[in-house]
Amino acid sequence: MKRRFTTLLTTLFLLAAGTSSAQLFIGPGISGGMTYGSNFIVSDTSQYHLPSAPGLAVSGGVDILYGFNENIRAHIGIAYRYKQLNLTAPDGREGLSFTEINRTATAVSIPMTVHYRIPLGEGSTYFNVIAGHSLDFTNEDSTVVKTPSMLVDSGGSWTRHEYQNLQRILPTILLGAGLDFETGNGSIINATLMWGLGTGRIFRGNISEWEVLNQPFDPAEQETPEEFPEHYFDYALRGSTLSLRLSYWFNLGDIFAPKEDSGDESMIED
């Protein structure tokens, strides 16, 4: 991670050294959209595959935008990100004690992107193309959930859910397109449709359901029934996000603007 920051800062310094029209912007940004989870550990043709359903994705934070010129700008920021990933029980499967599984991931995100702007007409509107990536710092966690027994005449049933939050740092590829609207004071209103492609696994877990027959069974006293699970589902999740991002960047002015001549005008040549 330190190498990524060093490379970025070095690139910014070299580009800044070769321009005299650099500008700096700072401001808030929020986004909202949907997360599309991918359960990739089991083939979607398997009867033990759990299909995914869209979940909610929101984030908010602060951006710093460095404008090398009117067309090329670099962005780095910090944001709080919330992702929801959903799994649903397969159609036509009987005996399952769950209909939907929800997993949520929260993270502190550091996006780093490059913006290329194309002017639209002679006005103050620009078409914006964005590419880069973010590092999402998640909380590591693991949980085991056991359901109460469901008694039947000759025994009972028992279900065990287990999941782990696998990684503390998740890289995400960012691609986007949108519009910049410049205000009279040089600030920018930005609206961008952003696609974040998750490249790392967020969760991994399994669901085991036993049907315990022909023996007394109490989940408070027995850790694991003797029978192999009647239904067993293993899953691992990564998520891609499609969201609309709105930002307002305040213009902090030119960084390398040439200084005006400060000579003493009161001096009069003889």
Side-chain angles (χ1 to χ4, degrees), residues 1 3 28 42 57 59-60 62 65 72-73 78 85 102-103 105 118 121 124 129 134 173 176 204 206 213 245 249 264:
M1 185 182 67
R3 182 179 299 176
V42 178
S59 69
V62 177
L65 197 69
I72 301 176
R73 291 177 176 177
I78 184 169
L85 298 105
N102 304 112
R103 295 286 178 256
I118 302 172
S124 57
V129 179
S134 69
I173 298 173
R204 180 167 183 171
N206 60 66
L213 303 176
R245 195 174 195 278
W249 297 318
D264 190 351

Side-chain angles (χ1 to χ4, degrees), residues 16-267:
T19 181
S20 60
S21 59
Q23 288 182 305
L24 190 65
F25 302 83
I26 188 170
I30 59 173
S31 67
M34 303 299 293
T35 298
Y36 300 90
S38 175
N39 180 13
F40 59 89
I41 197 171
V42 178
S43 170
D44 57 6
T45 60
S46 170
Q47 64 175 329
Y48 301 108
H49 176 78
L50 294 176
S52 59
L56 180 66
V58 295
S59 69
V62 177
D63 305 319
I64 297 177
L65 197 69
Y66 185 95
F68 302 107
N69 50 48
E70 286 297 314
N71 301 108
I72 301 176
R73 291 177 176 177
H75 158 245
I76 186 170
I78 184 169
Y80 182 80
R81 188 180 302 277
Y82 170 93
K83 289 182 180 180
Q84 182 186 62
L85 298 105
N86 300 324
L87 292 173
T88 58
D91 295 333
R93 296 290 291 173
E94 298 180 356
L96 299 178
S97 62
F98 67 94
T99 57
E100 189 174 65
I101 300 169
N102 304 112
R103 295 286 178 256
T104 59
T106 58
V108 175
S109 178
I110 301 179
M112 293 173 281
T113 58
V114 175
H115 299 211
Y116 184 79
R117 307 199 312 162
I118 302 172
L120 300 178
E122 298 180 357
S124 57
T125 303
Y126 294 80
F127 178 71
N128 220 346
V129 179
I130 300 172
H133 75 101
S134 69
L135 297 177
D136 297 342
F137 297 80
T138 66
N139 294 319
E140 192 172 14
D141 189 18
S142 62
T143 301
V144 176
V145 180
K146 300 178 182 179
T147 66
S149 63
M150 295 179 291
L151 298 177
V152 295
D153 293 341
S154 57
S157 65
W158 183 80
T159 303
R160 181 177 185 270
H161 292 197
E162 179 178 355
Y163 78 91
Q164 294 178 326
N165 190 338
L166 292 175
Q167 299 185 19
R168 291 186 176 181
I169 302 177
L170 292 171
T172 301
I173 298 173
L174 299 176
L175 299 172
L179 295 173
D180 279 355
F181 304 94
E182 292 189 355
T183 64
N185 61 3
S187 296
I188 298 174
I189 300 173
N190 174 267
T192 297
L193 188 64
M194 185 71 72
W195 179 46
L197 175 61
T199 59
R201 292 182 294 179
I202 301 176
F203 295 110
R204 180 167 183 171
N206 60 66
I207 304 164
S208 309
E209 184 175 86
W210 286 266
E211 291 183 359
V212 184
L213 303 176
N214 301 318
Q215 62 173 313
F217 172 67
D218 184 351
E221 298 179 359
Q222 287 182 253
E223 285 296 325
T224 304
E226 294 180 0
E227 285 86 350
F228 189 81
E230 179 72 16
H231 305 292
Y232 181 86
F233 296 90
D234 202 2
Y235 63 89
L237 284 172
R238 60 184 171 210
S240 297
T241 303
L242 183 64
S243 60
L244 177 64
R245 195 174 195 278
L246 302 175
S247 306
Y248 187 89
W249 297 318
F250 296 93
N251 183 9
L252 300 184
D254 296 338
I255 301 176
F256 298 103
K259 297 181 180 180
E260 295 181 359
D261 186 6
S262 59
D264 190 351
E265 298 179 356
S266 64
M267 295 181 62

